[in-house]
Amino acid sequence: MSSETPNPRVPFSFELYPPRSASSHEALHETVRRLAAAGPDFISVTYGAGGSTGGRSLEVLRFIREHTDVEPLAHLTCVGNTYAGAATLIREFLDAGILSFLALRGDPPVGHDEPFLGDLESAAQLVQLIDRVQAERAPYEESPVPGIPGAARVSARRKASIAVAAFPNGHPRSVHRWQDVDALLAKQAAGATSAITQLFFHADDYLTFVERARAAGVTIPILPGIMPIVSPVRLARVLELTGETLPSELAIALDVEPTREGRHEIGVEWAARLAREVVDGGAPGVHLYAFNQHDTVLTVLEEAGVLPVSRLR
């Protein structure tokens, strides 16, 4: 059920991916504008393995920075990257004014095995590299002094914010129950400032993981990643990619619903209920996987009571 009264400023954010073709650029720009108008804390942009979408990612990040007031967050992966290549890419993002990152280990592309991973063996190493590149690039910032040509004001540089991934139900390659908490502790020790979870289907998945992480010493914020699943095809795809267990109740509801509109409503309500429950359980906000569309995720936030219901979107 929709709520007319939003919760007191629940932080939220969105994930987008670079356009797959030139023709989809303008549609994505419109999506960025609509999402930015809602007031998210940041909008993240995914990055393809081996640099396949690095350039397009940067184009979207620049658009967010130059045309909205929202913080752009760049994804970086270890997969297929050398130290030199990753450092060059980090400098490129920093030069564009990007100061927020999501450091990911990533998975080898289909048809490649583990040796494809590259020089960087873990997200923790990538976190350290981001810090190192920024420190070497500029120990301080300069800004012009109005009215005094050539003069500059020197101030301490803003330190990059570095998020990392967390896995409430375990990474597919995890070998024991505590490995994902241990990995998160290592990322925190390396300098990570927050974490964003992989998608999950039940609030207890997230809340129990956070409880275990806190007991182990993880102190950084852990944002729940929520994905509206609005079709059986999408559900099958995300299960294939993530290794998550089939959510039978959602799967059955999507399978028996005959209309596209009905399936969309089911997916939105499931995601909205999930958002409400994790926020009520103490989550520091919600991060929504938007699939480069604005209507669905904004409706989820409205149904969850995070945003007021829009009369015109």
Side-chain angles (χ1 to χ4, degrees):
M1 179 181 297
S2 299
S3 171
E4 293 289 345
T5 304
N7 292 329
R9 185 56 182 110
V10 175
F12 59 92
S13 52
F14 304 108
E15 177 182 293
L16 301 172
Y17 52 81
R20 304 272 167 84
S21 64
S23 62
S24 57
H25 271 271
E26 188 49 47
L28 181 56
H29 288 173
E30 179 60 18
T31 290
V32 167
R33 294 186 189 99
R34 297 294 187 90
L35 295 178
D41 281 20
F42 63 86
I43 297 176
S44 73
V45 181
T46 64
Y47 170 73
S52 61
T53 59
R56 288 181 177 174
S57 295
L58 184 54
E59 289 174 9
V60 180
L61 291 161
R62 281 193 173 120
F63 182 85
I64 295 169
R65 186 173 185 275
E66 294 170 5
H67 296 275
T68 78
D69 295 326
V70 178
E71 178 82 5
L73 183 148
H75 290 215
L76 289 171
T77 63
C78 298
V79 168
N81 264 327
T82 63
Y83 280 108
T88 298
L89 185 61
I90 293 165
R91 290 189 194 95
E92 187 176 12
F93 284 136
L94 291 170
D95 288 343
I98 308 303
L99 287 170
S100 293
F101 298 90
L102 176 59
L104 302 166
R105 180 180 186 269
D107 297 310
V110 175
H112 293 80
D113 54 17
E114 286 299 306
F116 185 82
L117 189 61
D119 291 344
L120 295 158
E121 298 176 354
S122 68
Q125 291 183 7
L126 184 53
V127 169
Q128 292 174 321
L129 182 60
I130 294 169
D131 271 339
R132 187 179 312 125
V133 170
Q134 189 188 22
E136 292 171 352
R137 176 180 172 274
Y140 56 85
E141 295 178 351
E142 293 185 2
S143 56
V145 178
I148 309 178
R153 182 178 291 108
V154 176
S155 59
R157 66 175 171 86
R158 176 189 154 190
K159 198 172 185 297
S161 301
I162 308 174
V164 292
F167 300 88
N169 291 315
H171 191 280
R173 289 191 299 271
S174 297
V175 295
H176 61 80
R177 180 172 178 264
W178 289 95
Q179 184 171 342
D180 295 289
V181 171
D182 292 343
L184 189 52
L185 277 168
K187 296 171 189 178
Q188 176 178 278
T193 54
S194 64
I196 301 172
T197 76
Q198 180 176 266
L199 69 91
F200 53 91
F201 295 103
H202 304 281
D204 281 347
D205 296 341
Y206 167 81
L207 297 173
T208 300
F209 174 78
V210 171
E211 184 178 357
R212 287 197 292 120
R214 296 290 181 240
V218 175
T219 59
I220 58 176
I222 302 174
L223 276 175
I226 295 176
M227 181 182 293
I229 305 293
V230 296
S231 73
V233 172
R234 180 175 293 180
L235 178 58
R237 180 59 175 157
V238 298
L239 293 177
E240 177 187 354
L241 291 173
T242 64
E244 288 289 311
T245 301
L246 176 74
S248 56
E249 184 181 344
L250 175 60
I252 292 169
L254 291 172
D255 281 337
V256 301
E257 171 54 48
T259 69
R260 180 178 179 180
E261 293 77 12
R263 291 190 293 271
H264 185 272
E265 185 175 339
I266 288 167
V268 165
E269 175 51 34
W270 186 284
R273 183 172 66 249
L274 199 54
R276 286 195 301 269
E277 290 175 353
V278 295
V279 168
D280 289 345
V286 290
H287 182 69
L288 290 168
Y289 299 100
F291 284 97
N292 284 20
Q293 298 174 343
H294 55 273
D295 279 335
T296 298
V297 289
L298 292 178
T299 302
V300 167
L301 291 177
E302 291 170 354
E303 293 287 340
V306 174
L307 286 176
V309 176
S310 301
R311 300 188 185 279
L312 179 65
R313 188 178 303 136

